[in-house]
Amino acid sequence: MSQNIVDVENLSLKIGKKKVLNNIHLQLRKGEAVVIAGRNGSGKTTFLKCLANVIFPDKGTITYSEKVSKEKIGFISDQVSLLENYSLKQGIDFHKDVYQIKDFDDSLLRELKLDLNQKIKNLSAGERILFHLSLIMAQKPEILLVDEIIHAIDPYIREQFLEAVIDLLEGDQVTLVMINHTFSEIEKIPERVLIMEKGQFIVDEKSEALGEKLKKVISETEISEEAPCIFKRELSHFREYYIYPYSEELKGKFPYDYKDVNLNEIIKAFIGGQYAQKRNQ
Amino acid sequence: MLKKEISDVLRHNFFFILLILLLPAFLVVARILPNQSYFSVFFPIFQFLLFFWAFFMGISLFSVERGQRGMEYLLSLPYSRYKLLGMKILPRFITILIFYVIFLILYLGEGSNYAAFALLSFSVIYFSIFLISLSLSTCSDNFLVLFVISLFSLFIYLALAYFIFWAAIKAKGFIYYTLRISRFFTGEIDTILVMLIPIIGLLLLLPLMVASGLAIKKFDLRPSRVYNKRYLKYFVPLFLAGVIISFLLAYQGVDFGYSYYYLTQDLKLIEHNHYFGFKIYDGKDVHKIKIQDYDFDPFAEEDNYVYAESYDSILKINMSDYEAEILYHPPKGRHFTWPRKVGKTIAFMENKRGYSDRQLVLFDIPTQKVSRIPLDIESLKGYSSLSLFGADKSKGKEFWFMFAWSQTKGRGVFRLWEDGKPEYIKDTQVFPLYIRPYLITYSENEIVISKEKEGQFETTRKVPNSKGYIFLGMGYWPWFWTEDLGDVTIKEIFGHKYRSKEEREKGPLYARLDLETFEIEELSDTKKWLYCFGPNEYYFEDKDYDAGTFAIYRFQEGRSELIRSFRISFKKTFYPYGIFEGGIVLERGKKVKVYAFPDLREIKFKKL
């Protein structure tokens, strides 16, 4: 049984008057692949930055396993923050020096045919992401924190990136925490899904279990209001109802035609439901 | 990471050095500043730009990363905030130090006598700019905003430091001390303030630095206002504490310095300090007189008035209603010495700087009229020193005795008549004495006693004085004016002679000259120093520096009788007490005690 690699207790953070993180409790195990989803402004990125030590919480603690040193935490975000005036070579040397890296695998860079003497600021967004990923991979991280970078890169680089991530995940070498909005290409990666709303995790389920607990009902007529519908979508001739939590007992009570949904749709349902709730407030 | 910081700082310094080297060269070559040497243009530019550089080194802490959009990357690096800060500050601080040392070498090489004070002020401002801008470097992402805030903070800091000193001085009751800013650069401020400047400067900087140190522990990518709120939470109480402690320190440290005390014949105590003027203690209360003067040396008391010599004026203090007025102030460029009061006249020598245009000045107290008798006349030429030592009248005309000294002409006595005519009386080897009707002068081994007969001073007696006693008056000090004695006849005077160098600390040897028999009698029962406050009022003072004691003896009929002894510390000064006609004023640390003749009982003064 894997031990906890990160323990988050009572994490809270405010920016101005807004409570961005609200008393979060979370444990992450070694080798676990977690995806965090939620609508914009729910606190996902802030939470990830807290894990990366870029932002400090106002309250609460983040405790890493004793075996995890700071050099073993890799953080990459869509803002792709690097020292832009450095050349690639200078950036690599700097990163190697800080993280005490002996060997640097530049295969990803060679794949893209990048000139090591060019400045980082002259790279495209996708190239920068892969360059940053190369740096982080060289650290041999035990915790990898990825913040919404998939949408920023082209399909080819995306594939390269995902293959690299999958390689890392094999053999429980790394704990992955990823923030994403689209899940069609990464459906097989996360084993655990966290959905964040107003600074709290409203859903924390294994991917498979979540698939069992959320079903869709397509109906031309309204379904019972008593059915636990988290999100409803009205299309031209019919309606889609997303039911959560689904169970066999519920089916007995509300005998509709329940359909399985993929992770992408599950996330959309939750996020859509949050928006609907906000509209109704 | 440290290598990166050093590289960044070196790169910045390269451009700065280019600027400070090339700008003066440009100004000289382009003849914008013609007829100036390169160094004379370079040095002031360098000095000025150093302030700017200290400021830049401070606020540029995160400028490279902000400029390269690398803040998130920087903060995700595996360093604590303190370690990160340390690696950033170290090369910048070393840079500041190196430039400071270069400046010192160039500045002190100029050899200015006022270097110390201007240098202290420059140093305080230079390092303050660096520390202030460093402390505020995380308060905003905007360089321009940082620049304005830092400059403003520097201004507030300097103004506050100045205000604290000013407030302490005012609260302490200084009246005549002005704290002009120029004093900090020209060396006119007192030593104690010089010592306090860096201490208080640091105390006011500490809140900035400590608050930064505490706030930076959680420095992150949230908006600056979050950091600033945390910073202020620490800064405000620290700042208030710093201001209060600075004020208390300044208040304690600012000292009036030395006060001079004078005990009048009717036992009122005058305290003079050139920072607050005068305080007069009458036993029940204290009366303040706000009159500024740098010195206070009383030379006469009469009818409830005290007359005193100051640095450049003659004061008259009314001891009934506690008012003071400046009776006389010499014209610009002139300087007077040793005023003496004879009746309603105050007489003194006055001359221009360089001891030229000498005059005997007679100030009539009731009318405040000034008469001047020129002394640069033919018969007095060649005498480099002229000193008054007596006054009298003959055939209804006033005259003044002068001791004249010349390296070539020798020493002699002149009588200067009120119409300005000098009359040479006789030679004297040593400073003479006039006790009506006798003029006492000195020849090789004799004391020559002269008396006026038909307008001339004739020798009436020569007293052998092989041991060389000198009779300066009715005691060792002071000598006096005959007219002040009224009808009192002086029957004896005392003289002294210094012992050998090895025995000097035992005090002089004393002798008595009987003015009836003109016999010299050597005294045996004497102590160290003789004081005379009038006929038959003689006191000996005997002090022992090592034992920390001094004693006062009454001297009568050849015998010394102990009145009282005191324990006193001579560590801070050899003169922690004063002996006056009324008694003794003793200073013990911050306390002052007064003891009145004849028995030296202690008298208390309220509010002393």
Side-chain angles (χ1 to χ4, degrees):
Chain A
M1 193 169 178
S2 301
Q3 287 182 332
N4 288 342
I5 201 165
V6 183
D7 265 302
V8 178
E9 300 275 344
N10 300 327
L11 204 72
S12 295
L13 184 147
K14 262 175 138 177
I15 296 178
K17 290 181 182 173
K18 184 183 173 187
K19 215 163 193 176
V20 179
L21 298 178
N22 189 6
N23 203 27
I24 294 176
H25 294 266
L26 184 71
Q27 282 80 42
L28 298 173
R29 289 185 174 171
K30 187 171 166 56
E32 202 171 13
V34 177
V35 70
I36 301 177
R39 64 185 177 91
N40 292 335
S42 57
K44 307 183 297 296
T45 297
T46 304
F47 175 69
L48 210 70
K49 285 182 178 176
C50 284
L51 289 180
N53 208 39
V54 172
I55 290 180
F56 289 105
D58 295 327
K59 287 179 193 173
T61 55
I62 300 173
T63 311
Y64 291 94
S65 161
E66 278 172 11
K67 295 171 189 169
V68 177
S69 62
K70 285 181 184 173
E71 286 84 358
K72 293 298 178 185
I73 300 172
F75 172 60
I76 178 167
S77 80
D78 62 339
Q79 281 156 19
V80 201
S81 157
L82 285 168
L83 300 171
E84 289 192 341
N85 284 350
Y86 272 23
S87 67
L88 268 68
K89 185 171 184 326
Q90 284 175 317
I92 291 166
D93 289 340
F94 177 77
H95 204 87
K96 280 169 73 175
D97 179 47
V98 170
Y99 287 93
Q100 293 162 10
I101 299 165
K102 286 179 186 167
D103 300 310
F104 178 77
D105 180 6
D106 62 354
S107 54
L108 272 175
L109 302 180
R110 279 187 281 112
E111 189 87 27
L112 295 175
K113 293 185 174 39
L114 293 177
D115 176 9
L116 293 184
N117 291 320
Q118 67 177 312
K119 296 241 189 247
I120 293 171
K121 66 182 175 188
N122 294 332
L123 297 177
S124 69
E127 287 169 340
R128 276 196 233 184
I129 285 170
L130 269 186
F131 172 64
H132 199 173
L133 185 65
S134 312
L135 296 177
I136 288 172
M137 302 271 276
Q139 286 170 236
K140 294 187 174 34
E142 293 189 24
I143 299 174
L144 182 60
L145 308 169
V146 179
D147 186 7
E148 296 188 55
I149 61 169
I150 303 291
H151 65 277
I153 50 181
D154 65 51
Y156 176 73
I157 293 178
R158 196 182 301 159
E159 192 180 308
Q160 301 293 316
F161 169 74
L162 289 173
E163 279 177 12
V165 167
I166 289 167
D167 281 341
L168 279 175
L169 286 172
E170 277 175 5
D172 290 347
Q173 293 173 60
V174 69
T175 300
L176 172 70
V177 182
M178 181 187 260
I179 292 175
N180 230 56
H181 287 309
T182 58
F183 296 89
S184 47
E185 290 177 53
I186 65 161
E187 191 145 359
K188 290 178 183 169
I189 292 176
E191 4 172 321
R192 183 175 169 192
V193 176
L194 301 169
I195 295 175
M196 200 160 200
E197 170 61 14
K198 290 183 184 174
Q200 284 183 317
F201 290 121
I202 57 171
V203 173
D204 181 355
E205 300 275 5
K206 295 272 187 209
S207 306
E208 286 174 14
L210 196 56
E212 294 297 318
K213 286 185 179 177
L214 195 145
K215 302 288 182 188
K216 182 167 71 174
V217 173
I218 300 172
S219 171
E220 290 179 356
T221 56
E222 289 275 347
I223 65 171
S224 170
E225 281 183 4
E226 287 178 18
C229 173
I230 61 165
F231 178 56
K232 180 177 82 176
R233 201 159 65 138
E234 294 201 15
L235 299 166
S236 47
H237 298 298
F238 55 89
R239 297 175 181 87
E240 289 179 337
Y241 296 90
Y242 292 86
I243 305 298
Y244 176 83
Y246 170 81
S247 64
E248 288 300 320
E249 280 176 14
L250 191 78
K251 191 177 180 182
K253 198 173 174 185
F254 303 103
Y256 301 117
D257 181 16
Y258 293 95
K259 298 192 186 305
D260 290 337
V261 286
N262 61 26
L263 184 60
N264 207 36
E265 226 174 327
I266 289 172
I267 303 298
K268 275 192 212 171
F270 276 107
I271 294 175
Q274 287 159 17
Y275 277 114
Q277 261 184 4
K278 198 177 175 190
R279 279 196 299 273
N280 293 336
Q281 278 171 1
Chain B
M1 176 75 196
L2 186 60
K3 282 187 221 164
K4 171 194 163 303
E5 291 305 314
I6 292 170
S7 164
D8 288 342
V9 169
L10 281 175
R11 195 172 63 247
H12 290 141
N13 279 320
F14 171 73
F15 291 109
F16 176 65
I17 290 168
L18 265 186
L19 175 67
I20 57 173
L21 289 177
L22 292 179
L23 180 59
F26 168 73
L27 292 173
V28 170
V29 166
R31 295 189 182 275
I32 295 171
L33 293 173
N35 303 321
Q36 298 276 355
S37 69
Y38 175 79
F39 185 79
S40 68
V41 176
F42 162 80
F43 189 73
I45 289 175
F46 173 56
Q47 189 173 3
F48 172 72
L49 286 178
L50 274 185
F51 286 132
F52 173 76
W53 197 238
F55 162 77
F56 180 76
M57 280 288 107
I59 67 165
S60 67
L61 214 57
F62 293 103
S63 63
V64 170
E65 289 80 16
R66 285 197 173 114
Q68 296 189 36
R69 300 198 301 158
M71 277 302 289
E72 195 174 285
Y73 178 58
L74 179 76
L75 296 179
S76 70
L77 295 177
Y79 300 121
S80 70
R81 295 296 189 258
Y82 286 136
K83 190 169 180 181
L84 197 65
L85 199 66
M87 287 191 286
K88 284 192 159 287
I89 289 175
L90 184 64
R92 286 165 173 79
F93 183 65
I94 290 173
T95 297
I96 293 297
L97 269 183
I98 289 173
F99 278 112
Y100 181 67
V101 169
I102 294 171
F103 168 78
L104 272 183
I105 291 168
L106 293 174
Y107 189 83
L108 295 176
E110 294 225 300
S112 166
N113 285 332
Y114 294 102
F117 297 93
L119 183 60
L120 177 66
S121 300
F122 170 84
S123 306
V124 167
I125 296 173
Y126 178 70
F127 285 103
S128 302
I129 288 178
F130 175 65
L131 292 170
I132 288 170
S133 55
L134 191 71
S135 304
L136 298 175
S137 62
T138 43
C139 288
S140 174
D141 299 330
N142 187 308
F143 187 85
L144 192 59
V145 169
L146 278 177
F147 179 75
V148 170
I149 291 174
S150 299
L151 266 187
F152 181 71
S153 300
L154 176 70
F155 172 75
I156 296 292
Y157 163 75
L158 292 173
L160 187 62
Y162 176 86
F163 173 75
I164 282 173
F165 280 114
W166 176 88
I169 284 165
K170 287 296 174 195
K172 227 23 189 317
F174 278 50
I175 299 169
Y176 300 109
Y177 190 83
T178 55
L179 198 58
R180 297 193 306 272
I181 290 175
S182 60
R183 281 176 180 252
F184 291 94
F185 293 92
T186 56
E188 292 176 40
I189 51 176
D190 292 336
T191 311
I192 193 71
L193 286 183
V194 170
M195 292 192 297
L196 280 175
I197 288 170
I199 296 171
I200 286 176
L202 189 63
L203 272 175
L204 291 177
L205 277 178
L206 272 178
L208 275 167
M209 289 153 58
V210 171
S212 295
L214 292 171
I216 206 126
K217 192 179 177 186
K218 291 200 171 183
F219 172 65
D220 58 22
L221 276 187
R222 278 186 282 180
S224 301
R225 65 178 184 275
V226 174
Y227 172 83
N228 292 341
K229 195 175 166 186
R230 190 167 59 245
Y231 177 87
L232 285 173
K233 189 177 81 177
Y234 296 120
F235 175 73
V236 170
L238 284 172
F239 177 70
L240 288 173
V243 168
I244 291 169
I245 293 171
S246 297
F247 175 77
L248 290 174
L249 202 65
Y251 185 84
Q252 276 295 110
V254 163
D255 207 293
F256 282 121
Y258 185 73
S259 279
Y260 173 80
Y261 294 91
Y262 177 78
L263 186 66
T264 64
Q265 292 165 8
D266 60 351
L267 301 181
K268 288 182 183 170
L269 184 66
I270 302 176
E271 180 186 1
H272 172 257
N273 186 293
H274 77 265
Y275 291 127
F276 63 71
F278 293 91
K279 290 182 187 173
I280 299 174
Y281 304 88
D282 63 8
K284 295 174 190 170
D285 207 347
V286 59
H287 309 273
K288 293 181 184 175
I289 302 178
K290 291 182 184 178
I291 189 165
Q292 185 180 21
D293 242 312
Y294 290 103
D295 212 351
F296 178 65
D297 190 7
F299 60 84
E301 278 186 58
E302 189 179 63
D303 298 336
N304 255 332
Y305 291 100
V306 171
Y307 298 87
E309 175 188 358
S310 178
Y311 176 67
D312 60 353
S313 58
I314 295 174
L315 292 176
K316 175 179 158 186
I317 301 177
N318 185 326
M319 299 298 286
S320 301
D321 57 13
Y322 308 108
E323 299 274 336
E325 64 172 304
I326 294 176
L327 283 181
Y328 178 80
H329 192 84
K332 196 177 175 182
R334 296 187 69 80
H335 175 68
F336 70 88
T337 53
W338 275 18
R340 287 293 175 262
K341 184 175 170 295
V342 183
K344 300 295 176 194
T345 303
I346 297 175
F348 48 89
M349 294 295 196
E350 192 184 274
N351 52 263
K352 275 187 181 172
R353 307 264 181 231
Y355 209 57
S356 63
D357 191 22
R358 295 175 295 180
Q359 296 170 350
L360 170 63
V361 180
L362 304 171
F363 179 86
D364 183 68
I365 298 170
T367 63
Q368 302 212 358
K369 189 183 161 190
V370 176
S371 310
R372 296 175 182 274
I373 301 176
L375 298 175
D376 281 347
I377 49 182
E378 193 58 44
S379 51
L380 293 174
K381 266 184 185 169
Y383 288 100
S384 54
S385 170
L386 295 169
S387 306
L388 293 176
F389 69 88
D392 210 338
K393 278 183 184 169
S394 178
K395 296 180 183 173
K397 283 167 83 177
E398 270 189 348
F399 66 84
W400 306 85
F401 276 120
M402 291 191 306
F403 170 58
W405 185 92
S406 164
Q407 213 158 13
T408 50
K409 288 184 171 181
R411 301 161 211 178
V413 175
F414 280 84
R415 177 160 57 172
L416 186 68
W417 293 98
E418 63 182 23
D419 57 7
K421 286 185 184 150
E423 175 198 344
Y424 184 76
I425 304 295
K426 55 177 62 212
D427 290 349
T428 179
Q429 298 246 335
V430 178
F431 204 97
L433 179 66
Y434 180 67
I435 297 186
R436 190 196 297 134
Y438 303 111
L439 173 65
I440 299 170
T441 56
Y442 300 79
S443 63
E444 187 77 26
N445 286 316
E446 291 172 324
I447 296 169
V448 179
I449 312 293
S450 306
K451 205 171 164 181
E452 192 178 17
K453 190 177 177 184
E454 292 174 356
Q456 300 293 321
F457 272 87
E458 293 180 356
T459 302
T460 57
R461 195 72 178 260
K462 288 187 180 181
V463 179
N465 185 24
S466 58
K467 292 195 177 172
Y469 282 99
I470 303 169
F471 295 84
L472 282 179
M474 292 164 64
Y476 175 67
W477 179 91
W479 46 275
F480 63 99
W481 298 91
T482 310
E483 193 169 333
D484 289 328
L485 295 171
D487 295 326
V488 174
T489 303
I490 307 301
K491 294 178 182 173
E492 61 190 351
I493 56 172
F494 294 90
H496 72 282
K497 157 185 138 63
Y498 287 113
R499 294 177 199 256
S500 65
K501 210 174 174 181
E502 296 73 30
E503 291 195 308
R504 191 63 57 94
E505 64 174 42
K506 289 182 183 176
L509 293 165
Y510 289 95
R512 175 183 165 273
L513 176 65
D514 189 312
L515 291 178
E516 288 177 349
T517 64
F518 294 104
E519 284 176 3
I520 291 178
E521 175 198 355
E522 288 186 313
L523 303 174
S524 56
D525 187 11
T526 63
K527 304 299 172 185
K528 283 182 181 167
W529 313 108
L530 183 65
Y531 285 80
C532 168
F533 294 115
N536 299 318
E537 279 192 68
Y538 307 104
Y539 299 95
F540 270 112
E541 168 209 9
D542 197 333
K543 59 185 167 188
D544 187 332
Y545 293 112
D546 296 328
T549 58
F550 81 96
I552 300 292
Y553 297 79
R554 182 174 295 104
F555 185 69
Q556 266 180 335
E557 295 172 359
R559 286 188 302 113
S560 298
E561 179 196 344
L562 175 68
I563 306 175
R564 191 161 176 174
S565 65
F566 303 87
R567 289 202 69 82
I568 194 81
S569 169
F570 292 101
K571 281 180 187 165
K572 283 192 176 176
T573 171
F574 285 139
Y575 304 102
Y577 58 88
I579 302 176
F580 307 97
E581 192 167 343
I584 291 171
V585 179
L586 197 66
E587 294 173 64
R588 279 205 177 100
K590 301 265 180 191
K591 289 186 181 171
V592 175
K593 291 190 177 251
V594 181
Y595 303 87
F597 283 129
D599 54 358
L600 293 179
R601 71 186 190 290
E602 185 177 354
I603 51 174
K604 302 274 189 189
F605 288 87
K606 281 188 180 172
K607 301 182 185 179
L608 177 60

